[in-house]
Amino acid sequence: MKTKTFMLLCLFLGMGLTQLSAQTVAKGAVVAVGVYEMTLNPDVSLNQFLDFYNDKYLPEWEKSWPGVKQYLMIGDRGDNKNKFGVILIFESVAVRDKYYPVADANTTSDAYNTAVEKMKVMNAERAKYVVSGTRTTYTDWIIK
């Protein structure tokens, strides 16, 4: 099962990185891949959510989280079919640690809290589209 999950994450990562149109991921960058189970509001279509997320949410998110890029994915096949995935690309381990200083902990940093504060309006608007969302897995990968 671990091998299957690893291969699936590698596939998602590979597919996502090939879509970065003329961008490269530098050695030392951290690529964080998370899988989410999200339930959209009943009156919201998938396309409406995707349009909002890609056109409004992501640009504001990237302004609020300097040094980090985000990409949204949707599982097409396999264990995560119909689940959402997110790829975060941190410029370095230091940038990742600036926001998330401790792995698997509820510890936050000043940089994290500042970014979250900047996103309050967008997160309130996102709540119009999403009823609930839970991250089921994540892995941080360091580019070598």
Side-chain angles (χ1 to χ4, degrees):
M1 182 65 176
K2 287 183 180 182
T3 303
K4 197 181 218 183
T5 301
F6 174 75
M7 295 303 291
L8 181 63
L9 287 174
C10 287
L11 176 64
F12 279 153
L13 182 60
M15 289 184 332
L17 293 177
T18 60
Q19 299 300 314
L20 298 180
S21 64
Q23 296 180 9
T24 60
V25 180
K27 288 184 179 183
V30 177
V31 178
V33 179
V35 177
Y36 294 81
E37 289 190 20
M38 289 197 304
T39 303
L40 299 180
N41 280 316
D43 59 337
V44 172
S45 72
L46 177 60
N47 284 337
Q48 288 172 318
F49 171 70
L50 293 175
D51 288 345
F52 161 74
Y53 203 88
N54 289 317
D55 297 340
K56 292 181 82 178
Y57 190 85
L58 281 181
E60 289 304 314
W61 191 92
E62 289 179 1
K63 288 178 197 172
S64 301
W65 297 79
V68 189
K69 294 282 295 171
Q70 183 182 148
Y71 300 91
L72 180 66
M73 307 179 291
I74 298 177
D76 181 50
R77 296 181 181 178
D79 293 338
N80 293 306
K81 182 177 180 176
N82 297 324
K83 293 182 184 176
F84 291 89
V86 173
I87 295 176
L88 300 177
I89 301 178
F90 298 88
E91 291 175 352
S92 65
V93 171
V95 171
R96 189 264 324 261
D97 290 351
K98 177 175 84 170
Y99 295 108
Y100 301 98
V102 180
D104 298 322
N106 291 325
T107 304
T108 60
S109 67
D110 290 341
Y112 174 91
N113 293 331
T114 299
V116 168
E117 182 65 30
K118 289 179 182 178
M119 289 299 296
K120 272 191 170 182
V121 171
M122 275 292 117
N123 286 333
E125 190 170 344
R126 184 185 64 189
K128 296 175 186 175
Y129 294 86
V130 178
V131 174
S132 65
T134 305
R135 184 179 69 199
T136 58
T137 63
Y138 87 95
T139 302
D140 288 357
W141 304 86
I142 298 174
I143 303 298
K144 296 291 184 182

